[in-house]
Amino acid sequence: MTKFLVITSGKGGTGKTTIALNLGTALTLMGREVIVVDGSFSGPHIGLHLGAPSPKHHLHHVLQGKKRINEVVFLHQSGLKIIPASISMKDIEEVDLSGFERLKPEMMGMGEVIIFDSSPGFGKEALTVLKSADEIIVVTNPDLAAVTDALRIVKYARGRGIRILGVVVNKVRDEESEMAVKNIETLLEAKVIAVIPDDPNVRKALHIKHPVVYSHPSSKASIAIKKLAKDLIGEPRDERQIFKGILKRFGMDEKAS
């Protein structure tokens, strides 16, 4: 059964794309079949984060009816599968969101978890992606403005019966000016399921176009994100099976290795 998980935020700059990519990578490395989809049609960042800013085929081609969804899946060397969107202004200006409705049934069975990196806020494209969610994770920062915007997302989801898995508080520096986790939970009436430290290794990973859990697995941010992945799905699968799965993704077998 495929689960559709939307990573969302009330405002830009929270690090939502970083959480989506790294949670997807962590789950992949734990043996799960995961695809991360760039659901930010007017401001796509998935390809930029992973060194593929201008893919030959992309999600906009699917929305335009030029490609099927399984024809625009790319494999990162970490083993993570992604579906990038186009950064072309022509594609962005001409995007037809009505084509998004057919994506969910077409993606059913393509993976165990399909993660959509949504646009922030409450624009039409953000709401279009939110409506497709089985569950959502809300990403915020530990400041009042970000948490207040996150509250609007939480209320919108609850009003439409969308299950909220929890809140991820990102870029935490442990400064006195930051909101405490218990205060964030009180304001949002939602559980904080992960606290991700503001880690310079995240920026280093972005520079070399890798998820930080792949390039810097022992960093503070990576440890926190991997804990989140484990909390969401339980123990990793058998290491032998994970190894076989990684080889399979690269078109190899054990004898060839």
Side-chain angles (χ1 to χ4, degrees):
M1 180 68 175
T2 301
K3 283 284 188 182
F4 291 84
L5 173 64
V6 172
I7 310 296
T8 185
S9 63
K11 64 184 289 293
T14 61
K16 168 183 56 60
T17 299
T18 295
I19 298 301
L21 279 173
N22 282 280
L23 178 58
T25 304
L27 291 171
T28 297
L29 295 174
M30 292 172 71
R32 306 291 168 163
E33 288 288 341
V34 181
I35 301 175
V36 176
V37 183
D38 199 330
S40 183
F41 310 117
S42 61
H45 284 164
I46 293 292
L48 293 173
H49 276 239
L50 297 184
S54 301
K56 184 176 180 180
H57 305 302
H58 46 70
L59 185 61
H60 283 77
H61 284 151
V62 179
L63 297 175
Q64 294 162 4
K66 296 177 180 178
K67 291 287 180 181
R68 294 185 64 81
I69 193 69
N70 60 358
E71 297 177 308
V72 297
V73 180
F74 292 83
L75 183 67
H76 183 261
Q77 68 185 68
S78 63
L80 176 67
K81 295 176 182 177
I82 64 166
I83 296 178
S86 174
I87 62 172
S88 163
M89 283 306 300
K90 184 176 185 295
D91 289 325
I92 290 171
E93 290 172 354
E94 296 178 358
V95 66
D96 181 3
L97 294 179
S98 65
F100 186 81
E101 295 179 3
R102 70 174 184 272
L103 292 188
K104 188 171 181 178
E106 285 188 7
M107 297 192 74
M108 192 66 69
M110 288 179 63
E112 295 172 79
V113 183
I114 308 295
I115 297 176
F116 281 94
D117 177 33
S118 171
S119 295
F122 288 86
K124 184 178 179 180
E125 63 183 73
L127 297 183
T128 298
V129 174
L130 273 176
K131 290 173 184 175
S132 73
D134 295 323
E135 301 165 325
I136 68 169
I137 288 175
V138 181
V139 179
T140 189
N141 300 139
D143 62 81
L144 184 58
V147 174
T148 300
D149 286 335
L151 178 59
R152 297 169 65 204
I153 292 285
V154 168
K155 287 185 174 180
Y156 177 88
R158 286 201 175 117
R160 283 150 186 82
I162 301 171
R163 184 185 177 209
I164 302 168
L165 279 182
V167 177
V168 171
V169 185
N170 194 29
K171 301 183 181 179
V172 175
R173 298 179 180 177
D174 290 327
E175 296 176 348
E176 289 186 9
S177 59
E178 295 178 339
M179 289 184 67
V181 166
K182 64 179 180 180
N183 293 337
I184 294 172
E185 290 183 325
T186 298
L187 183 59
L188 298 182
E189 296 183 350
K191 183 175 177 57
V192 170
I193 56 174
V195 174
I196 313 299
D198 187 24
D199 187 339
N201 289 297
V202 172
R203 293 180 286 279
K204 292 177 183 178
L206 178 60
H207 178 69
I208 59 176
K209 310 304 180 189
H210 288 318
V212 69
V213 298
Y214 176 69
S215 61
H216 299 77
S218 299
S219 66
K220 291 181 179 179
S222 295
I223 291 170
I225 293 169
K226 287 187 286 187
K227 182 180 183 302
L228 170 61
K230 183 178 177 181
D231 289 344
L232 290 179
I233 57 112
E235 293 293 333
R237 288 185 175 150
D238 180 78
E239 290 185 3
R240 182 77 172 168
Q241 295 303 316
I242 295 174
F243 178 66
K244 287 181 179 180
I246 291 173
L247 291 178
K248 184 178 179 181
R249 290 188 189 103
F250 284 93
M252 301 167 62
D253 56 28
E254 286 189 272
K255 291 180 180 179
S257 66

